[in-house]
Amino acid sequence: MNATASDTPDIDAVRSYLRDLQDRICTAMEAADGQARFVEDAWSRAEGGGGRTRVMNEGAVFEQAGIGFSEVHGATLPPSASAHRPALAGAPWRAMGVSLVFHPRNPYLPTTHMNVRYFQAQPEGGAPVWWFGGGFDLTPFYPFDEDVRHWHHVARDLCQPFGGQDRYQAHKRWCDEYFFLKHRGETRGVGGLFYDDLDEGGFQASFGYTRAVGDGFLDAWLPIVERRKGLPYGERERQFQLYRRGRYVEFNLVFDRGTLFGLQSGGRTESILMSLPPLVRWQYGYQPEQGSAEARLADYLQPRDWLAAD
C-alpha cells in the first residue's frame, strides 16, 4: 500500500521517535542495573548513513546489554529485505531502526530482544514504497509462568487499538514461526510479537502500532527484571544458562534476517553482532536430568496459547 496525500510518510518523525526510544530504554536499563552505564560508539557507513551503538558490560544485572540506532541507505536493496517484495530487488533504499538484545547475568532472568524498524525503497519509475517491522520476544532458561503470562498480556493489550485479538494472534503466531530453530525442533523462547512488511491502514496507523510495540517493551520487561534479578543461583544454573545461550547464537547466525540484512548491506560488523552473548558454551549430546528444572524448559519451547485461561 502507498500512502495517500494526507498520510505521507514522515521520515523525520520516525527518526525522532527511534532516537528517543533508544534514550529512554538506556535510561531505564541503567536504573535497573544500578551499577553499569552504556558506552556509546557513533559510527558512519561508507555507502551512506550511520548510527549509534550503545553497549553495557559487566553490570550488576546485565552481563552485556546492547541497543543500537541506525539510519542507513544504499543504491541496491539487499536480498534479505526484498525477498518478500521481488519487484523492489535492486532499488535504492533507506532503513532506520532500533534493535536491542539484553543478556542478564542471573540465569533466572531471561534474555530478551526487541526491534522496531522502517524501510523505504524507490523503484524505478514508481512511487516510494515503505513498510514497518519489529517485535519483541523472551528467551528464559528457567521459566516462570507469571513472567510469561505478563509478557503476553502486555503484547495482547498493546494490540487492542490496532486490530485487537486478531492482531495479537497473527503477530504472536508469526513470532512463534519466525523464532524457530528448525534443526532443533524448538522455538527460541516463549515468543511475543513479530511483524514485517506492515503498511496496513496507511503510514500513521502502521507507525502508531510500531510505536506501541517499542513503548510496550519496557512495560513487558521491567517487571520481570525486578522480580528475578536478585534470585540466588549457583554454578549449575550458570552452566545451563551458558549452554542455552548457544541456541541464541545458532539462531542469530543461521536464521535471523536482521543479521543477514546488516551483513548483506555492508553494515558495521561490531554493531550487527552485538546481539551475541559475551560467554557461551556448547556440549556434545547434552541431555538434562529427567524431572530436573533444566528439563522443564523443553515444555516451554513449543508454540502455546499462554493466555488460554483468561
Side-chain angles (χ1 to χ4, degrees), residues 61-228:
V61 175
F62 299 104
E63 190 169 9
Q64 181 169 292
I67 176 169
F69 163 79
S70 62
E71 180 178 3
V72 295
H73 52 88
T76 303
L77 194 66
S80 58
S82 60
H84 298 287
R85 297 172 178 266
L88 298 179
W93 58 277
R94 177 179 297 272
M96 64 181 76
V98 165
S99 180
L100 66 82
V101 176
F102 295 158
H103 292 288
R105 185 179 301 279
N106 192 317
Y108 290 110
L109 181 53
T111 288
T112 190
H113 152 265
M114 185 277 291
N115 82 86
V116 283
R117 57 193 182 274
Y118 173 77
F119 283 89
Q120 184 170 301
Q122 180 65 61
E124 185 175 359
V129 178
W130 56 265
W131 65 97
F132 289 89
F136 51 65
D137 69 292
L138 192 70
T139 304
F141 310 104
Y142 294 92
F144 293 87
D145 288 1
E146 176 188 10
D147 296 347
V148 179
R149 287 176 54 78
H150 163 76
W151 184 261
H152 280 275
H153 267 297
V154 173
R156 185 186 64 182
D157 291 350
L158 70 85
C159 289
Q160 292 311 305
F162 306 97
Q165 184 72 7
D166 289 345
R167 170 65 62 87
Y168 165 69
Q169 290 292 348
H171 289 182
K172 175 196 177 297
R173 181 169 58 252
W174 201 343
C175 186
D176 290 335
E177 294 171 353
Y178 178 75
F179 293 107
F180 190 81
L181 285 82
K182 301 176 183 65
H183 60 291
R184 298 287 190 180
E186 63 186 35
T187 56
R188 188 168 80 171
V190 296
L193 299 171
F194 179 84
Y195 65 101
D196 204 356
D197 303 305
L198 181 69
D199 59 8
E200 182 180 340
F203 178 83
Q204 292 301 333
S206 298
F207 185 25
Y209 177 65
T210 298
R211 291 196 306 270
V213 171
D215 295 343
F217 170 74
L218 286 177
D219 294 333
W221 175 236
L222 285 177
I224 298 175
V225 174
E226 292 306 313
R227 282 197 291 263
R228 308 303 170 201

